[in-house]
Amino acid sequence: MLLNIMRENNTQLHQGERERDRLPPISNHSSGTDRGPKLPYPSLNLISNHKKEAGSHSFSSQFILPGIRHGRDLPPICPDVRQKHQHRITIDILSPEVRARFASDPVIPIRTKTAKEFQEDIERATVSGDWKHVHDFYLTTFDSFLELNAAFKKEANAPFNTIEDSGINTKFVNAVYDALLLTPPDTQRAVLKGIINSFALIFLTQIKQFLSTYPATYVIYAHLLRQIASLAESELFLCYKRFKQLVERLHFFISTRLFPAKPEELPPMAKCYWWIPSATKVLSLLNAANSISCTPFMPFVDFYNLTLDHTDFMEDYHTWQTHGNSTRFTFCQFPFILSTVVKKAIIQKDSEQQMISMARQSLVDKVSRRQRVDMSLLFLNIKVRRLQLVSDSLDELARNRADLKKKLKVTFVGEAGLDMGGLTKEWFLLLIRQIFHTDYGMFTFFKDSHCHWFSSWKCDNYSEFRLVGALMGLAVYNSITLDIRFPPCVYKKLLTPPVVPCDPDTPVGMATLTLDDLQQVMPDLAHGLAELLSYEGNVEEDFCTTFQVSQEELGVIKSYNLKPGGDKIPVTNQNRKEYVQLYVDFLLNKSIYRQFAAFFYGFHSVCASDALLLLRPEEVEILVCGSPNLDMSSLQKAAQYEGYSKTDPTIRAFWDVVLAFPLELQKKLLHFSTGSDRVPVGGMADLNFKISKIDASTDWLPISHTCFNQICLPTYKNKKELKQKLTIAISNAEGFGLE
């Protein structure tokens, strides 16, 4: 890994030294409480030739913790630093030869060691125990900016392109880094001090041993992170291994500062409140680089810091709501670091507060009118008939539009029973199953991509699409996982914009989508368009296509121009990229605009919250549908039993069979038992999975109650019989929308 932020302008270097004691701000916002847009992914300009203006900042901080004073003084790197500067020697005291003028051109250092020579020094020192030559190399190399710049160049005076080639011998850099871990502590401490002076950031940000072995070096590490975080532009040349190591070190640093094993070994929080903001800002630069990369180094979940799950994140959220992206640091300014568990908890607690507020207002209204108070006012009460499920649900949600943020209670007309969660889940399952059935016509199911898409037929009333959006919002607010198979681009559209615009004429759901997004919905069509883009012949003559597309709507073929006069504009080699982009935009945005707009407003009528600004599209999908990552061992640990105990032969045989199942059968088992083959955000424990005993013949197949996440097993004779009956049951359970 190489994090190259070397600057060759001595003026900038001296300016940076003069400003070292100044606390850099957290963001590019100057001050005040103007919230502005909270961007979930901070931008990063990897290569820039612009120089920073003097006195400008890119990062400011007031990291707020209860009971902590916020001193602004930067603690010295070592105790005698400030004292040394009190006894400066003036030029009048120097001898004439020392006062002689320097040459106009400074002497540029040359490389003193090759990688081979350095390795030989390490081998001799390891055998003899004499590390003097190695110590001198490290001390010289990291003593000045120029020495460091010269030490690792591939060729001392050869020009290089910072975009194509950094000009750095990365193998030599890595060898010096690896060897540093073997050196005596005094060498390591000398290098640390040199790093601070010369801004050689790569070494310190990587070395975990410094953080775990020498707690005192946290101060130096924090100063270094502060300097990185204050940079407006960085040039990053990274390999996967080093990039991942750097992210892990930064998370380790943040977690240790939040929950130190030995607090007495670290400075008081009042003196180092800027440590965590600096480290988080550096992580945001890496996250931005990762996000804009063609092939990300790491999945976005690897940027989560799970330690934050144990902090008071609601206080952080309320501070962010009040101050936004101002100079007051909050983790919500950098949502990439918050796990989906934290974001779900924020949404749920925010939902609960809104529910309580709505219920309180209803009670106040009743009391003020001297009307009888009914406890049903505290809930969103839905009463439906099974035979008119969709129409009744539409009517109920429309009638109770003002109560959508209250706790949901469902009643099936003519059926006794209180809703303790089972009826609510059953209502969701039955309604989603009916709406998404192919015969219903609202959604089209694509076999190749195994997902649903909005039907493009035109009608006068799109209220049913609004119902689906409201159902998704209610599911998030009421912690219900839905078995909906939308492609990822639906969630991109759902967050475009993340809040409902004030102007009703502002378009919603018009996300910028590409051929990759179309690939997830209609793979065959996407493949054909990709072939059009790569075709080497004459597109106009061989394809005979114009900027007009046709599609079937309720059995009728209709044609649409992709742009004015499109039916008369041929697609050529020169304009085929425009054609493909307009085609993708038509299919995924314009042709279904009214349907999706109704869906958008339905979802946001329930989920309108600042918390949505924290979410990535992938995280919205996980909140609605759950995670696709199964861990049956965790399900086994969290399972509950009724009529059985975990040591019974039937239960032991059940888990032996299930844990040996291939992934596809494990998904079918989960779908058979819970109505979905995905896992809630909180993991398998949140399923409340139960295995019950039924007094039935062993000829019976297992049965399930999806509303209660329950599977019922007869007492089978042996493991072979259990496996056979269980496989038949889960393989033949009917799923909606599938043919």
Side-chain angles (χ1 to χ4, degrees):
M1 165 187 173
L2 182 57
L3 176 58
N4 181 6
I5 57 169
M6 297 181 178
R7 304 289 190 263
E8 295 184 359
N9 190 313
N10 287 332
T11 303
Q12 286 181 300
L13 176 61
H14 296 316
Q15 177 184 344
E17 292 173 348
R18 289 195 301 270
E19 294 185 351
R20 182 171 296 164
D21 288 342
R22 187 179 300 176
L23 180 63
I26 277 267
S27 66
N28 292 326
H29 299 282
S30 58
S31 62
T33 59
D34 182 19
R35 292 174 58 188
K38 304 179 182 69
L39 299 178
Y41 316 119
S43 60
L44 175 63
N45 185 5
L46 292 180
I47 306 295
S48 175
N49 293 324
H50 299 292
K51 297 179 181 178
K52 292 181 63 176
E53 296 180 2
S56 65
H57 301 291
S58 63
F59 194 49
S60 69
S61 118
Q62 283 186 352
F63 182 52
I64 307 300
L65 288 178
I68 290 181
R69 293 184 296 105
H70 303 289
R72 308 271 307 178
D73 291 335
L74 185 65
I77 296 173
C78 55
D80 59 342
V81 169
R82 297 191 186 277
Q83 186 177 0
K84 288 179 181 178
H85 289 287
Q86 294 175 0
H87 305 286
R88 297 184 181 276
I89 300 177
T90 65
I91 194 170
D92 296 328
I93 304 176
L94 301 178
S95 59
E97 60 272 17
V98 176
R99 281 187 285 164
R101 295 176 59 86
F102 289 99
S104 57
D105 295 328
V107 177
I108 304 298
I110 60 175
R111 291 170 294 162
T112 58
K113 291 280 185 184
T114 65
K116 182 179 180 181
E117 292 170 341
F118 174 78
Q119 193 62 44
E120 291 173 351
D121 286 347
I122 291 294
E123 293 173 357
R124 283 194 294 268
T126 303
V127 174
S128 65
D130 182 4
W131 291 86
K132 183 179 184 304
H133 291 293
V134 176
H135 180 88
D136 291 344
F137 168 79
Y138 279 110
L139 198 62
T140 302
T141 301
F142 293 96
D143 186 58
S144 74
F145 202 49
L146 292 175
E147 291 285 354
L148 179 68
N149 197 35
F152 300 109
K153 281 186 174 181
K154 292 179 180 177
E155 297 183 30
N157 299 314
F160 58 87
N161 186 325
T162 58
I163 297 178
E164 300 294 335
D165 180 13
S166 66
I168 299 297
N169 186 342
T170 54
K171 290 185 178 180
F172 191 14
V173 171
N174 293 334
V176 172
Y177 154 63
D178 293 333
L180 183 57
L181 303 179
L182 306 175
T183 60
D186 59 334
T187 301
Q188 296 184 4
R189 285 193 290 269
V191 170
L192 287 174
K193 292 181 180 179
I195 285 174
I196 287 295
N197 293 329
S198 62
F199 280 72
L201 306 178
I202 175 176
F203 292 91
L204 189 57
T205 51
Q206 291 187 100
I207 301 177
K208 181 178 180 180
Q209 281 81 349
F210 283 153
L211 300 181
S212 58
T213 308
Y214 308 109
T217 61
Y218 269 80
V219 175
I220 302 176
Y221 192 91
H223 277 267
L224 186 54
L225 293 178
R226 185 189 204 179
Q227 300 291 3
I228 305 174
S230 67
L231 296 172
E233 298 91 21
S234 296
E235 298 171 3
L236 301 178
F237 303 96
L238 305 164
C239 69
Y240 167 75
K241 179 181 177 181
R242 301 296 183 180
F243 188 96
K244 183 175 175 63
Q245 286 178 343
L246 178 53
V247 171
E248 291 173 350
R249 303 300 185 261
L250 289 168
H251 280 308
F252 181 82
F253 177 81
I254 293 172
S255 300
T256 305
R257 176 62 274 189
L258 284 173
F259 300 103
K262 298 180 179 179
E264 67 278 2
E265 294 184 345
L266 296 179
M269 184 64 78
K271 293 185 178 180
C272 61
Y273 61 89
W274 49 270
W275 286 18
I276 291 176
S278 297
T280 305
K281 177 61 178 179
V282 175
L283 267 178
S284 74
L285 298 176
L286 296 172
N287 176 67
N290 188 66
S291 298
I292 65 178
S293 175
C294 296
T295 304
F297 283 132
M298 300 167 57
F300 68 90
V301 295
D302 285 355
F303 282 90
Y304 291 161
N305 189 310
L306 301 183
T307 304
L308 300 181
D309 294 7
H310 307 287
T311 62
D312 189 355
F313 46 78
M314 286 308 298
E315 180 183 356
D316 187 90
Y317 174 67
H318 293 316
T319 301
W320 173 69
Q321 279 188 307
T322 303
H323 298 278
N325 289 341
S326 66
T327 57
R328 190 165 181 173
F329 173 81
T330 62
F331 284 111
C332 287
Q333 293 173 343
F334 306 93
F336 68 87
I337 201 173
L338 300 175
S339 71
T340 312
V341 173
V342 169
K343 292 171 184 174
K344 179 185 179 182
I346 290 175
I347 288 177
Q348 287 182 330
K349 291 182 182 296
D350 190 58
S351 166
E352 291 172 1
Q353 292 170 359
Q354 294 184 46
M355 288 178 181
I356 293 171
S357 177
M358 294 290 296
R360 183 186 295 117
Q361 186 61 46
S362 298
L363 289 174
V364 170
D365 291 343
K366 283 286 186 181
V367 172
S368 63
R369 295 175 186 151
R370 297 188 177 182
Q371 297 175 346
R372 182 180 176 182
V373 175
D374 187 352
M375 295 306 293
S376 64
L377 290 173
L378 301 177
F379 300 97
L380 168 59
N381 296 287
I382 301 293
K383 294 183 179 181
V384 294
R385 296 166 294 178
R386 288 185 182 271
L387 296 180
Q388 286 80 30
L389 189 64
V390 175
S391 59
D392 283 359
S393 299
L394 276 171
D395 294 340
E396 286 288 276
L397 292 179
R399 184 174 61 85
N400 296 285
R401 185 169 297 178
D403 299 330
L404 293 179
K405 294 183 183 295
K406 295 180 181 178
K407 184 67 175 177
L408 179 61
K409 292 289 184 183
V410 175
T411 302
F412 288 95
V413 176
E415 299 180 18
L418 295 176
D419 185 8
M420 304 301 291
L423 294 179
T424 294
K425 185 175 181 183
E426 183 180 8
W427 177 67
F428 274 109
L429 288 173
L430 295 176
L431 194 55
I432 291 296
R433 184 174 299 172
Q434 186 169 334
I435 287 175
F436 279 85
H437 197 283
T438 53
D439 293 341
Y440 202 72
M442 285 181 63
F443 296 93
T444 302
F445 183 77
F446 291 95
K447 294 181 180 179
D448 293 339
S449 58
H450 299 284
C451 69
H452 291 95
W453 189 248
F454 297 77
S455 295
S456 58
W457 50 265
K458 306 297 186 292
C459 65
D460 297 328
N461 186 1
Y462 295 95
S463 57
E464 290 180 333
F465 288 100
R466 188 180 183 99
L467 169 63
V468 178
L471 282 174
M472 281 181 52
L474 288 170
V476 171
Y477 261 19
N478 291 272
S479 300
I480 301 292
T481 300
L482 299 181
D483 190 18
I484 296 179
R485 303 181 186 275
F486 279 139
C489 62
V490 165
Y491 302 96
K492 292 182 185 178
K493 291 166 65 65
L494 203 56
L495 293 180
T496 309
V499 293
V500 177
C502 298
D503 184 358
D505 295 328
T506 301
V508 296
M510 299 293 286
T512 301
L513 303 176
T514 66
L515 201 57
D516 291 336
D517 296 297
L518 184 64
Q519 174 73 30
Q520 296 168 342
V521 184
M522 310 171 192
D524 290 341
L525 178 58
H527 179 72
L529 293 175
E531 288 188 338
L532 172 66
L533 290 176
S534 61
Y535 186 67
E536 296 180 356
N538 189 310
V539 170
E540 182 177 1
E541 293 182 359
D542 296 345
F543 282 82
C544 300
T545 304
T546 64
F547 276 72
Q548 184 183 65
V549 296
S550 300
Q551 63 179 13
E552 181 181 347
E553 297 177 9
L554 299 177
V556 179
I557 302 297
K558 294 186 178 181
S559 298
Y560 298 92
N561 287 340
L562 296 179
K563 63 180 183 178
D567 57 326
K568 298 180 176 60
I569 303 175
V571 177
T572 65
N573 293 65
Q574 290 71 35
N575 63 18
R576 57 184 170 180
K577 288 185 179 180
E578 179 190 12
Y579 169 79
V580 170
Q581 184 55 48
L582 289 174
Y583 200 171
V584 171
D585 185 58
F586 173 79
L587 290 174
L588 303 185
N589 285 324
K590 293 180 179 177
S591 67
I592 59 163
Y593 178 76
R594 292 186 180 275
Q595 294 88 325
F596 194 88
F599 173 78
F600 176 93
Y601 284 113
F603 179 81
H604 287 271
S605 68
V606 184
C607 279
S609 170
D610 289 336
L612 285 180
L613 299 169
L614 305 176
L615 298 175
R616 296 172 59 103
E618 300 94 330
E619 292 169 330
V620 177
E621 180 179 10
I622 291 174
L623 288 176
V624 173
C625 305
S627 170
N629 300 320
L630 303 189
D631 183 359
M632 286 299 175
S633 297
S634 298
L635 184 64
Q636 180 184 14
K637 294 176 183 177
Q640 304 170 30
Y641 302 98
E642 186 177 85
Y644 284 118
S645 69
K646 62 181 180 181
T647 58
D648 286 341
T650 301
I651 297 301
R652 291 203 303 267
F654 174 84
W655 288 116
D656 287 344
V657 169
V658 169
L659 294 176
F661 270 160
L663 179 60
E664 193 59 35
L665 281 182
Q666 289 180 344
K667 287 184 175 182
K668 288 183 177 181
L669 170 68
L670 202 62
H671 192 281
F672 174 76
S673 307
T674 69
S676 173
D677 61 2
R678 292 188 168 220
V679 184
V681 171
M684 290 293 193
D686 280 6
L687 279 175
N688 295 319
F689 180 73
K690 181 183 288 186
I691 304 177
S692 299
K693 182 178 182 179
I694 54 173
D695 294 326
S697 168
T698 55
D699 293 333
W700 282 35
L701 297 176
I703 60 175
S704 66
H705 301 291
T706 55
C707 301
F708 300 99
N709 299 337
Q710 183 179 21
I711 185 170
C712 302
L713 298 176
T715 307
Y716 292 111
K717 299 175 183 177
N718 51 53
K719 185 190 298 185
K720 181 179 179 181
E721 183 180 31
L722 186 147
K723 180 179 180 180
Q724 179 188 20
K725 296 294 172 57
L726 183 62
T727 303
I728 293 173
I730 65 177
S731 299
N732 293 276
E734 182 182 0
F736 71 91
L738 302 177
E739 298 179 356

